[in-house]
């Protein structure tokens, strides 16, 4: 007794001119198989067409069989079926269940499909062969192949565009990462943020860095730097030097242009990303200088005199007097007093 779903499937599969398509492999080539139930001169037929998949060819293989054609073969696998729609359903599910394969192909002569099935009472699987004959493609066949190929190329083109867009996004991200002074973002940002969270009354804040200036994008002109970076409190500077060092500093106080004056900020600190080391400002000592130069941390490092491309470190030993934790001269710049600034980034630190 058939279920409701079986009956619905039967009605669907029995719909005339409904084409089902499959792909089977044979000796490293793929073949497209089309199966269709259609009516010719008021009689129902099953039409099967096979040809090499995704190729434009001048011939294919075809067979059209009605109920009498199937009955005349007297195959045991077909005996349970009395209607052509039932045989069509049998072929459909044989494809779906992987019970149909290509048995043989004689180029430009025939194409043999074989269905294997089991019936109770028979020890070995039973076989039913369907032999398709070669035929020359007509205009409709060629037009269909061209349309299919055009659609296939269009889909491939869309897929290529999607892949290209993803690749471009990866390249943009890699380019952005290569520009950033912070290389290991997870670890190095954690290193900086942990120190920022030690600032009084900031311990429970969320921290976000907002980029205001990048020298490799905005240029090394001091006027541009000050136009973008002056009067911004809670600012953090990152430097990448020609010595291979990466370091920077933070201050609560906003930088300004004008006459040079020393600014005291007990929350100020410098740091080395290369050495993973913090240098805290000595209490009540001047932390940095506000001037027409670039970032200047007192008696530690200075960026920019004529342009931001030049930097220098102070002779800090035996006693820096302004920042603690310094072990050797020019430590923050790998022992070199002068350097070329390869890049400088200026961030506003947002405590939320």
């Amino acid at each position: 007794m058939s279920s409701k779903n079986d009956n619905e499937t039967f009605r669907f599969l029995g719909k005339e001119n409904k084409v089902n398509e499959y792909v089977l492999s044979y000796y490293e080539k793929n073949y497209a198989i089309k199966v269709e139930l259609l009516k010719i001169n008021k009689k129902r037929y099953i039409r099967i067409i096979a040809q090499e998949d995704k190729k434009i060819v001048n011939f294919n293989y075809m067979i059209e069989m009605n109920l009498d054609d199937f009955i005349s073969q007297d195959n045991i696998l077909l005996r349970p079926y009395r209607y052509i729609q039932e045989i069509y359903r049998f072929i459909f599910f044989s494809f779906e269940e992987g019970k149909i394969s290509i048995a043989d192909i004689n180029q430009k002569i025939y194409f043999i499909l074989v269905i294997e099935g089991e019936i109770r009472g028979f020890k070995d699987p039973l076989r039913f062969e369907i032999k398709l004959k070669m035929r020359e493609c007509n205009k409709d066949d060629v037009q269909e192949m061209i349309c299919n190929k055009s659609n296939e190329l269009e889909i491939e083109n869309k897929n290529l565009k999607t892949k290209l867009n993803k690749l471009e996004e990866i390249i943009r991200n890699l380019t952005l990462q290569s520009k950033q002074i912070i290389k290991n973002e997870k670890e190095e940002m954690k290193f900086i943020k942990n120190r920022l969270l030690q600032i009084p009354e900031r311990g429970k804040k969320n921290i976000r860095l907002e980029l205001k200036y990048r020298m490799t994008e905005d240029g090394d002109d001091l006027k541009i730097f000050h136009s973008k970076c002056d009067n911004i409190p809670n600012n953090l500077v990152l430097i990448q030097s020609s010595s291979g060092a990466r370091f920077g500093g933070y201050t609560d106080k906003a930088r300004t242009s004008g006459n040079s004056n020393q600014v005291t900020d007990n929350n100020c600190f410098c740091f080395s990303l290369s050495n993973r080391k913090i240098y805290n400002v000595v209490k009540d000592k001047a932390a940095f200088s506000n001037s027409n130069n670039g970032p200047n941390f007192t008696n530690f490092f200075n960026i920019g005199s004529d342009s931001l491309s030049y930097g220098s470190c102070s002779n800090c030993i035996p006693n820096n007097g302004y920042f603690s934790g310094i072990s050797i001269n020019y430590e923050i710049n790998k022992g070199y007093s002068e350097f070329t600034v390869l890049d400088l980034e200026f961030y506003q630190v947002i405590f939320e």
Side-chain angles (χ1 to χ4, degrees):
M1 183 175 180
S2 62
S3 67
K4 180 180 177 182
N5 288 338
D6 285 339
N7 290 332
E8 289 175 352
T9 303
F10 181 85
R11 286 196 294 271
F12 168 75
L13 292 175
K15 186 176 180 180
E16 292 171 5
N17 302 318
K18 166 69 177 177
V19 179
N20 291 292
E21 299 186 24
Y22 308 91
V23 176
L24 298 179
S25 297
Y26 186 76
Y27 284 99
E28 299 183 353
K29 285 186 178 181
N30 290 331
Y31 291 86
I33 316 294
K34 296 179 180 180
V35 185
E36 180 182 7
L37 178 65
L38 71 162
K39 188 179 287 186
I40 302 174
N41 296 328
K42 298 183 179 181
K43 201 167 190 177
R44 288 189 175 90
Y45 286 80
I46 293 175
R47 174 188 288 166
I48 302 176
I49 299 175
Q51 68 181 55
E52 194 170 348
D53 189 33
K54 297 181 179 179
K55 300 286 185 181
I56 297 177
V57 295
N58 58 8
F59 70 94
N60 57 25
Y61 306 90
M62 187 183 79
I63 190 169
E64 292 174 347
M65 300 178 69
N66 59 32
L67 182 61
D68 293 335
D69 296 325
F70 285 103
I71 292 175
S72 66
Q73 296 198 30
D74 193 28
N75 189 281
I76 297 174
L77 285 175
L78 300 181
R79 287 179 184 175
Y81 310 118
R82 294 181 297 166
Y83 302 100
I84 191 73
Q85 293 94 332
E86 292 178 320
I87 296 175
Y88 181 79
R89 183 175 184 267
F90 165 70
I91 293 173
F92 172 87
F93 281 110
S94 294
F95 271 110
E96 293 292 317
E97 295 168 6
K99 295 179 179 179
I100 293 186
S101 59
I102 300 172
D104 189 19
I105 299 175
N106 189 321
Q107 194 76 352
K108 295 189 177 182
I109 299 178
Y110 59 77
F111 184 105
I112 299 177
L113 292 171
V114 62
I115 303 176
E116 289 193 355
E118 296 180 354
I119 292 182
R120 186 177 297 176
F122 290 84
K123 181 179 179 181
D124 298 322
L126 301 174
R127 292 165 59 93
F128 170 57
E129 289 188 354
I130 304 174
K131 189 174 183 179
L132 288 65
K133 294 182 180 180
M134 188 277 288
R135 66 163 189 148
E136 298 291 332
C137 291
N138 57 35
K139 290 182 180 180
D140 291 338
D141 294 327
V142 174
Q143 185 176 357
E144 183 182 358
M145 284 186 281
I146 292 173
C147 288
N148 290 339
K149 192 65 178 180
S150 177
N151 292 335
E152 177 192 338
L153 291 174
E154 186 176 347
I155 293 171
E156 286 182 2
N157 187 44
K158 288 181 179 179
N159 290 337
L160 285 173
K161 285 183 179 179
T162 301
K163 290 179 181 179
L164 181 61
N165 290 336
K166 289 181 179 179
L167 182 60
E168 288 176 346
E169 183 179 354
I170 291 171
I171 291 172
R172 282 195 298 269
N173 291 335
L174 289 174
T175 301
L176 180 62
Q177 290 174 13
S178 67
K179 287 182 177 180
Q180 291 175 334
I181 296 174
I182 291 179
K183 302 303 180 185
N184 186 341
E185 185 168 358
K186 184 177 179 180
E187 294 298 323
E188 293 181 347
M189 284 302 300
K190 182 179 179 181
F191 167 71
I192 294 172
K193 287 181 177 180
N194 282 345
R195 177 59 184 86
L196 290 168
L197 290 172
Q198 294 175 24
I199 297 172
E201 300 181 3
R202 306 278 174 80
K204 295 183 179 180
K205 299 284 186 178
N206 292 320
I207 295 174
R208 178 168 55 87
L209 299 186
E210 188 173 293
L211 180 66
K212 298 296 184 180
Y213 169 88
R214 176 178 282 132
M215 191 182 79
T216 51
E217 294 178 358
D218 300 315
D220 63 357
D221 189 290
L222 286 165
K223 290 182 180 179
I224 295 176
F225 172 78
H226 284 290
S227 70
K228 289 179 173 287
C229 303
D230 279 359
N231 305 311
I232 296 177
N234 305 332
N235 60 81
L236 183 129
V237 176
L238 292 175
I239 309 294
Q240 184 168 0
S241 81
S242 56
S243 308
R246 294 178 298 121
F247 54 89
Y250 167 84
T251 177
D252 280 351
K253 308 291 185 178
R255 299 178 182 274
T256 59
S257 302
N259 296 326
S260 177
N261 61 295
Q262 300 294 317
V263 178
T264 300
D265 176 14
N266 288 328
N267 290 332
C268 175
F269 64 92
C270 293
F271 56 88
S272 167
L273 292 175
S274 303
N275 301 327
R276 204 64 63 89
K277 189 172 181 180
I278 299 291
Y279 307 94
N280 293 313
V281 70
V282 175
K283 188 176 182 181
D284 297 330
K285 288 287 187 177
F288 66 94
S289 172
N290 263 338
S291 68
N292 288 326
N293 290 355
N296 182 349
F297 288 86
T298 306
N299 205 28
F300 204 176
F301 69 86
N302 176 56
I303 305 297
S305 52
D306 296 325
S307 80
L308 291 170
S309 295
Y310 171 78
S312 63
C313 294
S314 303
N315 188 335
C316 303
I317 300 300
N319 181 24
N320 175 276
Y322 292 89
F323 287 89
S324 63
I326 303 169
S327 302
I328 60 174
N329 278 327
Y330 322 123
E331 177 180 312
I332 204 166
N333 189 45
K334 294 191 174 182
Y336 294 93
S337 61
E338 297 182 351
F339 56 89
T340 299
V341 178
L342 300 182
D343 204 0
L344 183 153
E345 295 171 353
F346 185 97
Y347 294 87
Q348 182 174 15
V349 180
I350 310 295
F351 295 93
E352 299 174 319

